Amino acid sequence: MTLDSRKFHLKLLSTPEANVLYVEGELDLGTAEEFRSALEPLAADTERPLKLNLRELSYVDSTGIGIFVAALKVRQAAGKGLSVQEVPVKIRRLFDMTGLSRFLTIEGGAG
């Protein structure tokens, strides 16, 4: 059995309809800068909706939550929203406990 040495991965699908960022693995202090660097320009792009697909996200710490909040503030200041898709149950619970769920558009069922 081989294990992927990278515990975090991002993939961007950019179309004229939306920017969709697929977030996979563990979002923590060690991977936060990679996430922030990818997310900030997408949050600032107010020409297209921004969607984060979290189906393969297994863990988020407080640093990661802070990045979600920062992106949400940028989007809200521009009168735009932030959508999350396919949020795993434990990540959804974290969003609910922190109050983040009230400000996100949650699409698709939890997995």
Side-chain angles (χ1 to χ4, degrees), residues 29-43:
L29 185 59
T31 58
E33 192 52 43
E34 181 180 354
F35 184 54
R36 184 188 331 273
S37 295
L39 188 56
E40 281 180 350
L42 296 173

Side-chain angles (χ1 to χ4, degrees), residues 2-34:
T2 50
L3 295 174
D4 185 355
S5 61
R6 291 198 62 198
K7 63 178 184 169
F8 186 72
H9 183 70
L10 297 169
K11 183 175 90 176
L12 175 63
L13 176 60
S14 191
T15 69
E17 292 78 37
N19 287 317
V20 182
L21 185 64
Y22 291 82
V23 186
E24 302 174 4
E26 298 178 8
L27 175 53
D28 57 21
L29 185 59
T31 58
E33 192 52 43
E34 181 180 354

Side-chain angles (χ1 to χ4, degrees), residues 18-23 27 35 39 49-57 60 64-65 67-69 71-72 75 81-88 91-96 100-111:
N19 287 317
V20 182
L21 185 64
Y22 291 82
V23 186
L27 175 53
F35 184 54
L39 188 56
L50 175 57
K51 300 174 185 242
L52 303 177
N53 186 297
L54 306 181
R55 187 171 108 199
E56 299 297 326
L57 184 63
V60 181
I65 291 291
I67 297 168
F68 279 102
V69 170
L72 189 58
R75 298 294 291 179
L82 178 60
S83 297
V84 289
Q85 303 173 317
E86 300 185 74
V87 183
I91 304 297
R92 174 64 190 262
R93 254 188 248 123
L94 180 62
F95 286 173
D96 290 347
L100 199 52
S101 295
R102 293 183 307 219
F103 303 100
L104 297 168
T105 302
I106 300 176
E107 301 177 0

